[in-house]
Amino acid sequence: MPKNNKKRGAQRKGQGAGATSSHPPTDEENSTAGDNWSTASVLSDSSSTYDGLTAEREAGEDQQDGEDNVEQENFEDRMCECIEGLLVKSAPQRKKSLEGLKSGLCKKYCVDFLQKRKETVADSLLKCLKKGKAEEQSLAARCLSLLAVQLGEEVSQVYSDVQTSLATLLADSSAHPHTRAQCASTMGIFCFVNAITNDDDVTELSTRMGLMEAVFKTSYRNKANGSLPPPNPQLTEISISCLDAWCLLLTRAPDYFIQDKAQSHISLLGDLLQSSDTELRIAAGEAIALLFDLNRYIDEGFDESREDTDLLCDQLKTLSTESTKHKARNALRQQRARFRDILQTVQDGVVEEVLVKMGSMETLMLEDWSTKVQYNAFCSALHSGIFVHLKENLMLRDFFDLGAPIPSGTKPVHKMSKVQRKYYNSLAEKARTQSRAKNRDKRSVVVGF
């Protein structure tokens, strides 16, 4: 008995020291455990998590802003080096600086950087244009067109000097053909930007268009013997650039000016449709389509008043279906596609709409030939940078009615489903078909009568 009592007493002492116990804890023990379990961490868990996420997000935004600032500073430093390199004595170094300046002006909208340096940049480019050789002159002319797109309304401050130099080089028959062609394109862009940001000056438009007409008129049929001039690849390149720039300026001309140009040029442009060069034929065809489209807005019966419309349609139809074996397939495919649209405009008064997607939130609709010509001109100047400028360039966004620039990172509020888009497109196509059918019916009644 005493031994057993000692064993039980030892067991009770072990439980009292009790690291573990088999019986459930009492209410007192529960409350003590709760007090010892860090009440503060439970209450502050959600708020501390939110504060942590907010701080992390703000830190990420600050880091992104810092990276953007560093990137902008590096870009401006490179651009300053390129601008300074335009005045060095080494011709290869000047070409390298021109290439860098061209790349920077294409890929980034930097009007704030250029506003303080526009006269310096313009003067440096004009020196390269006057004193450099063919490749350097072409690069300088290209950079001047990009400078005009960047500056917008500020271009008027350097307009006079630039146009004088470009006109001199365009008229110089001893200059390289590619240089003269680039000067014609730059002259068109410079004059067009000056016209849309300031009041349209008909005298200035007429002067610049007259210089371009003097070049591409040399490809017209000879009035004395009625023969076409012999093929001249060098002159053809200049004629294409001058014709494209002439069409661009025509979109800003007043109604009476457009009517006068239609009367004097449509039949002559038909001569260029017989050219051996595919690009010249396409440029001439698009000029004819532009003249028909513009004049129909002024006078609905324009095409019916012309006696040569049927002959012109026959020429366009032949080019839209041509399958000559000795010509390259790609060139013929491009020619047929372009002339189908041109024929549709001249014959039926229909302009094929083109939708340009700018990311997931914006689109640009090209509904007539004027807008197509203007968009193509800016594409030729900016190349791959066209979408960057359409999103950020204030002058281009205002001209194409795109509104204020959308902040980066903005997500679309609502995106239509595939079924909704299909339904919307079918309704739009039905309405477009009905409106065009009415126009065709009216035209057929008039012709039948």
Side-chain angles (χ1 to χ4, degrees), residues 120-133:
T120 302
V121 176
D123 290 342
S124 301
L125 291 174
L126 287 176
K127 288 179 180 178
C128 295
L129 191 67
K130 294 174 182 177
K131 298 180 180 179
K133 294 185 179 179

Side-chain angles (χ1 to χ4, degrees), residues 53-64:
L53 290 173
T54 304
E56 184 179 353
R57 187 182 300 111
E58 291 177 352
E61 291 176 354
D62 292 341
Q63 182 180 1
Q64 183 63 37

Side-chain angles (χ1 to χ4, degrees), residues 261-401:
K261 294 301 178 184
Q263 294 297 328
S264 58
H265 281 280
I266 285 182
S267 58
L268 296 174
L269 286 169
D271 296 339
L272 301 185
L273 298 177
Q274 303 176 34
S275 171
S276 59
D277 187 86
T278 304
E279 293 296 330
L280 183 57
R281 290 197 300 271
I282 292 174
E286 292 181 346
I288 292 170
L290 175 65
L291 286 167
F292 267 82
D293 194 31
L294 289 173
N295 278 276
R296 279 201 182 100
Y297 279 109
I298 303 168
D299 179 12
E300 293 182 358
F302 168 75
D303 52 337
E304 298 162 8
S305 62
R306 294 190 61 87
E307 298 178 354
D308 59 346
T309 303
D310 292 338
L311 177 62
L312 191 60
C313 288
D314 291 339
Q315 286 182 282
L316 296 174
K317 191 176 297 184
T318 301
L319 291 170
S320 66
T321 58
E322 186 177 6
S323 58
T324 310
K325 292 184 178 180
H326 68 271
K327 294 182 180 179
R329 289 184 179 180
N330 290 336
L332 281 176
R333 190 179 298 114
Q334 181 186 16
Q335 174 184 300
R336 288 194 294 266
R338 303 285 279 274
F339 274 100
R340 279 196 295 267
D341 294 341
I342 295 167
L343 176 62
Q344 202 173 14
T345 300
V346 175
Q347 189 173 29
D348 302 326
V350 177
V351 180
E352 190 71 22
E353 295 177 351
V354 178
L355 185 66
V356 180
K357 291 187 178 181
M358 299 150 46
S360 60
M361 296 191 63
E362 290 186 292
T363 55
L364 173 62
M365 180 67 76
L366 309 179
E367 300 177 328
D368 52 34
W369 277 100
S370 293
T371 316
K372 288 183 179 181
V373 167
Q374 293 156 0
Y375 176 77
N376 290 336
F378 285 115
C379 282
S380 298
L382 295 167
H383 291 283
S384 60
I386 181 64
F387 294 111
V388 174
H389 282 264
L390 283 176
K391 291 179 180 179
E392 301 178 10
N393 192 309
L394 299 180
M395 183 266 294
L396 287 183
R397 292 188 66 85
D398 182 57
F399 178 72
F400 287 113
D401 295 326

